[in-house]
Amino acid sequence: MEGARESLIRLQEVYNLQPREMAKGNYLNYKGPELSASDVYLIGKTAFTIEKYPQAVQWLTTAVDLMSKDIAITGPYVETPSFGMISTGNTAFLTDAQTYLGRSLLRVGDQENARKLYMSLVTDDIENKNIQTLGYELKSVGTVEIGQNQVITKFYNLCQQQSKTSEPTSMDSRLRCRFAYILLPYYRFHEEILSNTPYISMFYDVITSTDAERIKKDSSAIGLTRGKISPGLLNETTSSFRTSHVTFLSDEKSEAAAFLSRRISYLTHLDASKQAAEPHQVVNYGLGGHYALHLDVFLEERAEMKARFENYGNRMATFLIYLTDVERGGSTAFPGADLVVSPTKGNAVFWYSFTPDGEIDHLTEHAGCPVVIGEKWIINKWIWTYGNTFTRRCGLKPNASQLDIEREMYSGYTGKHKKQRD
Ligand SMILES: O=C(O)CCC(=O)C(=O)O
Ligand SMILES: [Fe+2]
């Protein structure tokens, strides 16, 4: 339950949804479940606990409004034969909701309203522990810890836009659509260059619906488990940073996966076989499922992690295929490239995490936006630097872009450049 509440808070935060609307079941014009006043209160309390105070204020204000309305209709208390007057259903939480609201207001700097709320409560029930806590905190303002503001505005704005290609500037005049250059003449795929530096492109229809279903089936047969992040080798951990279910799917375990590895090699001109790439990783996100901003490469400070892969180098490139459409949300955002890619079944987003002069490209930081409506499945292929040292060599100029080096790269560095088919 706690996870579900955090998911709703994430949707509220990233997509700027109003708890008042969410309580009525309105999610970006989609109809979802309605929430009761006590649900709204409990979500507000969770927001408080995880230090999302601006969000807590919105939920708890809504809860207090909803509960106060209930009181107007039914009265806060009913007479019972054995227990005398007891408070009814939703309204039982009203005082608690008000005190948590006061404590949240205090933490977003609204002392005035926090104090007003306290004054209206303190006469009610002198014994109430929550009211006492609020009173105590009001007296010691300044020592109350204010949570870190974790709002990453740009990333959220991109998620809200759902899909956006960076504006072509004169420098980016080479942004375009083309047929991916593949040696087999009958093998044609559309590629759209979304960003030149960092190089991010979209391949269309790289997997059939049948194969997408096969991949889901083969990975479900293995079993998906809660995704982890690895700050270090020994402390892999589940975290609200990444909420999804994942499994690795090797070419041996799935014919569809093996076929896909070969296709990725053709499309990228890199070796995506098991000598030079990880097994595919299949990921499934449900409501609110997301992956916060990160780089796919391992950084120096993650030395332990690097040691684990010392035979492979680092993650040179990512080929991410969407196995489902997502009704709303679930895009992949690249704030460094001012780009967000909408999940479309069968399409793939591809990027290099290293610049052609061999440096980690921090502009490739990216995130999986939370899913609002529907379900999201993806399959990732991480292609390693070792094994691809000769398939993608360094550029000759220090600031060479991928487009500068791709002709030689595509001809296998034979010196015989074929004319690019545009
Ligand atoms: O789900 C997404 O769109 C991004 C996933 C991702 O970045 C990853 O799995 O490394
Ligand atoms: Fe990633």
Side-chain angles (χ1 to χ4, degrees), residues 172-352:
D172 277 338
S173 61
R174 289 178 297 179
L175 292 184
R176 60 192 168 173
C177 292
R178 59 183 177 180
F179 281 117
Y181 178 76
I182 297 170
L183 293 171
L184 305 171
Y186 53 86
Y187 219 50
R188 294 198 130 196
F189 289 90
H190 285 279
E191 183 186 16
E192 183 180 355
I193 302 168
L194 303 174
S195 162
N196 189 356
T197 45
Y199 185 82
I200 306 172
S201 80
M202 171 101 119
F203 286 99
Y204 287 79
D205 300 318
V206 299
I207 185 171
T208 61
S209 200
T210 317
D211 273 353
E213 294 313 312
R214 272 195 201 133
I215 298 273
K216 283 196 239 168
K217 206 167 120 235
D218 292 347
S219 44
S220 301
I222 295 171
L224 286 84
T225 54
R226 177 69 199 270
K228 295 191 169 148
I229 53 166
S230 326
L233 182 60
L234 300 174
N235 54 349
E236 267 197 340
T237 167
T238 59
S239 145
S240 59
F241 194 89
R242 183 185 195 193
T243 52
S244 56
H245 284 80
V246 302
T247 191
F248 278 101
L249 186 65
S250 65
D251 292 357
E252 290 78 26
K253 289 257 170 66
S254 162
E255 237 179 86
F259 177 76
L260 209 51
S261 294
R262 285 196 297 277
R263 179 164 284 182
I264 293 170
S265 292
Y266 281 128
L267 287 169
T268 60
H269 298 257
L270 298 170
D271 185 354
S273 73
K274 68 177 181 197
Q275 282 88 5
E278 278 168 75
H280 297 275
Q281 187 181 59
V282 179
V283 189
N284 171 225
Y285 302 88
L287 173 78
H290 80 136
Y291 196 164
L293 277 176
H294 66 280
L295 288 167
D296 286 352
V297 292
F298 303 114
L299 299 174
E300 292 303 326
E301 59 258 36
R302 291 168 72 181
E304 289 168 296
M305 209 49 202
K306 272 185 77 167
R308 179 171 172 179
F309 296 112
E310 66 187 355
N311 294 329
Y312 305 100
N314 209 334
R315 287 173 173 168
M316 176 192 265
T318 302
F319 199 92
L320 182 168
I321 306 171
Y322 302 103
L323 299 176
T324 47
D325 293 319
V326 182
E327 269 192 72
R328 194 73 174 84
S331 298
T332 310
F334 297 85
D338 196 21
L339 177 77
V340 59
V341 180
S342 184
T344 303
K345 186 173 182 175
N347 289 358
V349 54
F350 170 65
W351 69 93
Y352 286 98

Side-chain angles (χ1 to χ4, degrees), residues 70-86:
D70 278 0
I71 292 171
I73 300 162
T74 59
Y77 297 100
V78 290
E79 179 88 53
T80 60
S82 346
F83 303 103
M85 296 287 274
I86 60 159

